Amino acid sequence: MTEYQTISNIRQPRPDEKGAGRTAAATKEALIKAVSLRKDYDGHLALKGLDLQIAPGEIYCLLGANGAGKSTTINLFLDFIKPTSGQAFINGFDVQEHSTETKKFLAYIPEIVMLYRNLTGLENLRYFSGLAGHDHYTDADLRSFLNEAGLPKDAPDRRVGGYSKGMRQKVGIAIALAKQAKVLLLDEPTSGLDPKASNEFSELLLKLSQEGVSILMATHDLFRAKETGTRVGIMRHGELVDDLFTEDIGHADLERLYLEHMHD
């Protein structure tokens, strides 16, 4: 079985009528929403009036060169930085006005998941889930989350310092599961992963999507965006220049469109 077949086989079945799934998604309240979101740094425009809505169960992949505004967008939703103007919403809450509240609903997985190297995977999960207010979990509960995230069965009791990057990302997914996150924000999560680990990570995202989690992922990986994403946005110089459904475009056409935008 090829990598392509593995991913395709776990996709949700699409409605027979073209566009029916989009109508259903459009009727759901967006869990991730940007309204005229703008960010300037001392005269440099990092994000230009972004308008975006991501419904429950959608996986939205942001493509673009370095400096295009992908990470800026995610950092604004995390309230790591403040917008120059506009608003960012998580689960209906304005991120600026309700920063603490919005963090209850989301989980964040960066390119390198920051874990305590001297603690085991189980101890890290217990610590971070406790910080999120979920200190009631038993060891069996925590092991169940790690197992669901695909961590090898012998790994939870080993120190994270010996984990591969893919294993660390799986602990990040387990933290999202333990938090019962409705929103998942990811910044280059598959960068540096080998094809097998990258494929496994995509499978986890698709499972979370099927459970109604809204996912926003910044990535350079066009193949992964096409195979995993529900929608794809292309950013250039801080502006969302294209927004399309992945079912409407093939791999070659997506690459061609991306390169056209990069050379405009």
Side-chain angles (χ1 to χ4, degrees), residues 195-209:
K196 180 176 181 295
S198 185
N199 182 74
E200 290 172 349
F201 191 81
S202 293
E203 291 178 352
L204 291 170
L205 296 187
L206 288 167
K207 289 176 182 177
L208 289 172
S209 168

Side-chain angles (χ1 to χ4, degrees), residues 19-20 27 30 41 47 86 105 120 132 137 164-165 168 179 181 236 239 247 260-262:
T27 61
Y41 291 103
L47 191 66
F105 303 108
T120 67
Y137 290 129
S164 67
K165 179 177 178 179
R168 294 169 68 94
K179 284 188 68 174
R236 183 174 183 270
E239 184 175 6
E247 66 181 2
E260 284 178 358
H261 282 302
M262 295 304 105

Side-chain angles (χ1 to χ4, degrees), residues 175-238:
I175 292 170
L177 293 170
K179 284 188 68 174
Q180 302 172 24
K182 293 185 176 182
V183 169
L184 188 58
L185 304 176
L186 308 104
D187 197 354
E188 302 290 350
T190 58
S191 175
L193 295 184
D194 63 51
K196 180 176 181 295
S198 185
N199 182 74
E200 290 172 349
F201 191 81
S202 293
E203 291 178 352
L204 291 170
L205 296 187
L206 288 167
K207 289 176 182 177
L208 289 172
S209 168
Q210 291 168 355
E211 294 169 7
V213 177
S214 287
I215 300 171
L216 174 61
M217 176 169 69
T219 181
H220 288 292
D221 191 337
L222 273 69
F223 174 83
R224 197 60 53 195
K226 161 62 181 168
E227 286 306 299
T228 310
T230 308
R231 292 160 61 199
V232 169
I234 300 175
M235 298 195 78
R236 183 174 183 270
H237 299 327

Side-chain angles (χ1 to χ4, degrees), residues 35 43-44 135 208:
V35 179
H44 170 70
D135 54 3
L208 289 172

Side-chain angles (χ1 to χ4, degrees), residues 17 33 44 115 124 126-127 129 152 159 164-165 170 188-189 197 199 202 219 221 235 251 257:
E17 182 179 356
K33 183 178 180 180
H44 170 70
L115 301 171
N124 269 280
R126 181 185 298 114
Y127 175 75
S129 60
R159 289 185 178 182
S164 67
K165 179 177 178 179
K170 288 175 181 177
E188 302 290 350
N199 182 74
S202 293
T219 181
D221 191 337
M235 298 195 78
H251 290 277
L257 183 63

Side-chain angles (χ1 to χ4, degrees), residues 65-120:
N66 290 332
K70 305 185 304 297
S71 294
T72 297
T73 299
I74 288 177
N75 286 335
L76 285 165
F77 278 115
L78 289 165
D79 198 35
F80 287 173
I81 57 176
K82 303 297 182 183
T84 303
S85 60
Q87 293 173 289
F89 296 89
I90 295 292
N91 197 31
F93 291 92
D94 185 302
V95 169
Q96 271 197 284
E97 295 181 1
H98 304 279
S99 181
T100 302
E101 187 70 19
T102 56
K103 286 180 173 59
K104 296 177 183 178
F105 303 108
L106 66 82
Y108 170 54
I109 299 180
E111 181 177 351
I112 299 175
V113 176
M114 301 304 293
L115 301 171
Y116 289 99
R117 295 175 55 84
N118 291 328
L119 298 182
T120 67

Side-chain angles (χ1 to χ4, degrees), residues 33-38 49-53 77 85-89:
K33 183 178 180 180
V35 179
S36 301
L37 197 58
R38 181 185 179 96
L50 176 67
D51 290 297
L52 181 65
Q53 295 191 44
F77 278 115
S85 60
Q87 293 173 289
F89 296 89

